[in-house]
Amino acid sequence: MVGPPPYPPERLVSLSNWQDPPFNRWGFQHVRDLIPTARIARGERVRLLSRAERDLDGLKLQVGRRRVGLQRFLDETYTDGLLVLHRGRIVTERYANGMTPSTPHLLMSVSKSVTSAVCGVLVGRGMLSPDDLLTTHIPELAGTSWEGCTVRHLLDMRAGTRFNEDYDDLAADVRVYEQIYQWRPKTRRHLPDDITAYFPTLRNKTQHGGPFDYRSVLTDVLGWVMERAAGARLPDLMSRELWRPMGAEFDAEITVDRRGNAMADGGVSCTLRDLARFGQLLADGGRRVVPRAWIRDTLTPDVDTVEAFASTADARELAAGSYYRNKFWVVDPAAPIYMGSGINGQTVFVHGPAKVVIAKFSTWPVAWTEEFSILTRLGLTSLAEQVGG
């Protein structure tokens, strides 16, 4: 006879609670122990990061009307890891909550920015175009709500797809499709095991090409388009086109559904150093890995893109002229200052004027609030300005 567990059930990390506090503090560093993953292999040649470490403990960061010390800022934003590069050299590298340099941590929606970089490679090779219709690559979606949707609509979150992404609502679409991706126990009996069978069931809220509306599922459809265009699985594309050529130090991984389909929108886990390498690659103009033209396109304030973003609630958090393009949040395209961002505080932050890149892993006790988001962005901006000043 099996005896009771050694701890009360509410103290155990499980598939039901790993995204919730305090369980996410362990769960985000142990995704492979909870969910099936596919390997994103590194290459044999590692691009080493040189060090020019400085004592930053005396810094006071300007966050709104407050000035707070660096460590207090890290504590207030539930930091698991912080790495700051100045001119490509490590200024500080800090770990907390049991994390180490070799520990993979969930990127959440920074995964979208990684997916975008790989998409840029395919576009640069002529295998894919932002103007392509989805149905050109996935004819199975002809006659569904995806008819007339382009790759550009997916990249800039402007498809007309109806999709509720309220993380506080367990009945929301985002929580339902997590069951298909094996992020939650399957409670709906008739859900497909294959995410590609789920996409055609979605309906539209508006016409494609309308205002910016952030929905993670659009990135997963993009991942499927990329696989079809390149004739390879997404984890293999990420390895071949990004992780290996950028000189990653460690393998990364990405969660998959029961049929092996990778979760492009938020399923990547990697180490802090490799996230910083990715950010530095962007800051260096792609370094012949990601086409410079893709980064230039991301940082070009297309009038239509800016207007589509300006009319939304997300715009009030950023300065006038900010926008979302190619899976990046562009704070200041001229500087440039831009970032990949994920719920619970995952960030890769590129500050062009300061020549600073910051990688940050966190486990906020909430998926997202405006307060945490603004606190993090202002703190990282102040940190970058002082390191590069």
Side-chain angles (χ1 to χ4, degrees):
M1 183 175 180
V2 178
Y7 303 103
E10 65 271 18
R11 290 182 59 185
L12 300 178
V13 182
S14 70
L15 197 61
S16 299
N17 65 22
W18 71 277
Q19 296 185 68
D20 304 323
F23 309 106
N24 60 351
R25 305 227 76 190
W26 184 91
F28 285 14
Q29 296 181 45
H30 296 85
V31 173
R32 69 177 70 158
D33 297 318
L34 297 160
I35 304 167
T37 61
R39 179 187 179 207
I40 301 171
R42 70 174 181 90
E44 294 181 0
R45 303 181 68 175
V46 174
R47 184 181 177 88
L48 297 176
L49 296 171
S50 59
R51 311 188 77 92
E53 295 187 69
R54 292 156 52 181
D55 182 2
L56 303 183
D57 287 337
L59 288 186
K60 294 292 184 181
L61 306 184
Q62 190 71 45
V63 287
R65 297 181 179 179
R66 293 193 302 147
R67 289 178 59 82
V68 300
L70 176 59
Q71 189 56 52
R72 181 173 177 181
F73 166 75
L74 298 181
D75 292 341
E76 287 185 1
T77 54
Y78 294 81
T79 304
D80 295 329
L82 177 82
L83 196 153
V84 180
L85 297 172
H86 181 229
R87 298 181 182 273
R89 305 173 73 185
I90 297 175
V91 174
T92 190
E93 181 177 12
R94 303 181 180 213
Y95 297 94
N97 189 31
M99 194 173 176
T100 71
S102 62
T103 305
H105 191 290
L106 187 62
L107 294 182
M108 287 297 193
S109 288
V110 179
S111 305
K112 295 179 174 68
S113 302
V114 172
T115 300
S116 166
V118 178
C119 184
V121 174
L122 301 186
V123 170
R125 291 186 180 162
M127 304 169 76
L128 189 63
S129 168
D131 296 326
D132 287 351
L133 291 169
L134 269 60
T135 49
T136 300
H137 299 280
I138 309 177
E140 300 98 304
L141 293 179
T144 72
S145 65
W146 301 98
E147 188 84 53
C149 184
T150 68
V151 172
R152 170 57 63 202
H153 296 151
L154 299 179
L155 284 164
D156 297 351
M157 297 291 184
R158 296 182 63 189
T161 310
R162 183 186 302 277
F163 192 82
N164 181 353
E165 195 146 343
D166 181 355
Y167 289 94
D168 294 327
D169 181 2
L170 291 179
D173 295 316
V174 68
R175 293 309 194 188
V176 173
Y177 99 133
E178 284 181 346
Q179 296 180 35
I180 303 173
Y181 270 125
Q182 306 191 81
W183 278 42
R184 288 184 179 273
K186 196 171 182 181
T187 59
R188 298 200 178 189
R189 295 176 55 190
H190 301 296
L191 283 177
D193 289 336
D194 186 327
I195 194 67
T196 63
Y198 173 73
F199 297 145
T201 69
L202 297 174
R203 297 292 177 260
N204 283 338
K205 179 181 179 181
T206 63
Q207 291 184 342
H208 299 304
F212 168 86
D213 186 4
Y214 191 93
R215 289 142 299 158
S216 289
V217 71
L218 303 186
T219 308
D220 297 302
V221 177
L222 175 65
W224 191 17
V225 171
M226 290 164 56
E227 289 183 329
R228 286 292 182 86
R233 297 176 65 239
L234 189 62
D236 297 331
L237 283 175
M238 288 179 167
S239 171
R240 186 181 76 203
E241 307 297 355
L242 180 63
W243 227 241
R244 290 175 182 268
M246 85 170 185
E249 187 175 355
F250 299 95
D251 290 344
E253 59 201 28
I254 187 168
T255 65
V256 296
D257 71 11
R258 291 168 181 82
R259 300 291 180 86
N261 297 301
M263 189 191 214
D265 81 83
V268 176
S269 291
C270 74
T271 64
L272 185 66
R273 288 180 188 168
D274 283 334
L275 179 59
R277 281 182 177 87
F278 173 63
Q280 190 62 48
L281 178 76
L282 300 171
D284 290 342
R287 215 171 48 230
R288 295 191 297 277
V289 177
V290 178
R292 185 177 293 273
W294 187 252
I295 298 175
R296 187 184 310 119
D297 179 76
T298 302
L299 299 176
T300 299
D302 172 81
V303 173
D304 184 49
T305 301
V306 173
E307 289 180 351
F309 184 78
S311 62
T312 66
D314 297 87
R316 70 187 180 194
E317 193 183 313
L318 303 175
S322 301
Y323 57 90
Y324 185 93
R325 189 169 179 86
N326 293 340
K327 309 296 179 188
F328 286 94
W329 301 87
V330 182
V331 180
D332 183 342
I337 301 171
Y338 60 112
M339 60 187 178
S341 180
I343 60 171
N344 298 95
Q346 322 320 318
T347 310
V348 59
F349 184 80
V350 179
H351 195 296
K355 301 190 183 309
V356 167
V357 170
I358 303 175
K360 186 177 188 295
F361 288 138
S362 311
T363 35
W364 295 349
V366 292
W368 184 91
T369 65
E370 187 172 315
E371 177 184 2
F372 268 117
S373 180
I374 292 176
L375 171 62
T376 298
R377 181 173 53 80
L378 293 181
L380 295 184
T381 301
S382 181
L383 176 57
E385 290 172 347
Q386 293 186 66
V387 166

